[in-house]
Amino acid sequence: MSYIKTSLNLSAPALDALKKMAAKRGVTVAEIVRQAIATEKFFVDEVEKGHKILIEDKDRSLRQVVFR
């Protein structure tokens, strides 16, 4: 796959969060952004199909994730 270079305007806290996630996973900031886009696309696609996104807590109770 080929990539196209782009630039983003991010707040300092957002960039810091990306850098921390990248370091924790041992990948680049660009890879974290690509993963975030893929994750967002998955969620949007599922919600558009009428599906719900749920989080199961440790006690097995479920909470629905509500998207904007």
Side-chain angles (χ1 to χ4, degrees):
M1 175 175 292
S2 63
Y3 296 109
I4 299 170
K5 187 172 181 162
T6 188
S7 64
L8 300 169
N9 294 318
L10 301 170
S11 67
L15 180 57
D16 186 52
L18 288 173
K19 287 179 179 179
K20 286 179 181 176
M21 285 187 278
K24 189 173 186 176
R25 295 184 190 176
V27 298
T28 64
V29 168
E31 180 58 25
I32 291 295
V33 171
R34 286 190 288 270
Q35 290 174 6
I37 292 167
T39 300
E40 178 74 7
K41 182 181 181 321
F42 170 78
F43 288 144
V44 168
D45 290 349
E46 292 303 307
V47 170
E48 285 177 352
K49 293 176 192 173
H51 298 165
K52 293 180 181 178
I53 308 298
L54 304 173
I55 295 175
E56 183 177 348
D57 290 331
K58 290 179 183 179
D59 67 359
R60 303 200 56 123
S61 63
L62 296 176
R63 294 182 285 147
Q64 181 177 352
V65 179
V66 179
F67 288 89
R68 51 209 175 278

